[in-house]
Amino acid sequence: QVTGSQISALDVATGQLETISAKGGAIVAPDDVAFDPRGNLYVTDSILSGNISGSHGGAISVTGSTGAARIERSTLSGNTSTNGGAVSIQSDRIAWLSQSTVVANSASAAGGAIRVDAAGARFVLDYSTIAGNAAPQTSGVHVVSGELLLHGTVVGEGTGGADCGQSGGNLT
C-alpha cells in the first residue's frame, strides 16, 4: 500500500539508502520502484492513496520512451495533481488499468482521474470503475492526444467538468 509514504531503495553493493519517492509523492516512471529492467510498471492488488503531485499524475505519472504500465485489481483514491489526479500518461507507451477502482481523486486543471497526453499513447481501461473524481475540465478521463479505450468500464458521478472528454486524440 502506498499512502503518501516515502519509498526508499538500498544499494546492496554500497549500503547507500536513496529516497526514490519523497513522502507524499507519487510513483513516477521510469525511475521509481515497481519497474522491471525493461521499464515496465506492474501495480497489482495495491492501494495508492493520498499522494500529491504539483504537475501530472497524483499517484502514477508515466513518462519516458520505453516500457508499458499495467495496473490490476488496485484502488487509486484521494490523489491530487494539476492534470490527471490519479494517473497521467505523457509518453508513447501502452498502459492498462484492469479490474480497478479510481475514486475521489482531483486535478486543478483537467482529468480528475486520468489524463492521456502523448500522440503514441494507448491506455486501456478494462472492467474498472472511475467515479467521484473532480476537475474543472473533465472530472473523469481526459484525452489530449493518444488513445483511451474503455471496455466494460463505468465512468461517472464526477464533479466539475464532464465525466469523459477530449481535446484531441481518440476516446472509444
Side-chain angles (χ1 to χ4, degrees):
Q1 178 172 331
V2 178
T3 55
S5 302
Q6 176 172 305
I7 300 172
S8 300
L10 176 65
D11 184 330
V12 293
T14 66
Q16 295 282 44
L17 185 64
E18 178 186 356
T19 299
I20 301 298
S21 181
K23 185 171 178 71
I27 295 174
V28 179
D31 298 321
D32 286 352
V33 296
F35 279 82
D36 68 18
R38 295 179 311 272
N40 296 312
L41 167 67
Y42 299 95
V43 177
T44 305
D45 301 316
S46 298
I47 298 171
L48 285 80
S49 179
N51 298 291
I52 300 169
S53 169
S55 57
H56 297 281
I60 299 173
S61 178
V62 179
T63 62
S65 60
T66 62
R70 183 177 291 273
I71 305 155
E72 296 181 358
R73 298 180 310 276
S74 295
T75 299
L76 288 75
S77 67
N79 301 292
T80 304
S81 74
T82 303
N83 289 295
V87 179
S88 180
I89 309 294
Q90 304 141 142
S91 65
D92 295 346
R93 291 187 179 213
I94 297 172
W96 296 269
L97 180 84
S98 179
Q99 300 173 10
S100 296
T101 302
V102 183
V103 63
N105 299 284
S106 63
S108 59
I114 296 166
R115 185 170 191 251
V116 178
D117 187 6
R122 181 177 176 157
F123 196 6
V124 178
L125 303 182
D126 191 41
Y127 295 105
S128 294
T129 300
I130 315 297
N133 299 286
Q137 181 184 3
T138 316
S139 61
V141 296
H142 185 81
V143 180
V144 177
S145 61
E147 184 174 22
L148 180 70
L149 296 104
L150 303 171
H151 178 257
T153 294
V154 175
V155 180
E157 302 298 319
T159 57
D163 290 316
C164 293
Q166 65 187 99
S167 53
N170 296 308
L171 176 61
T172 54

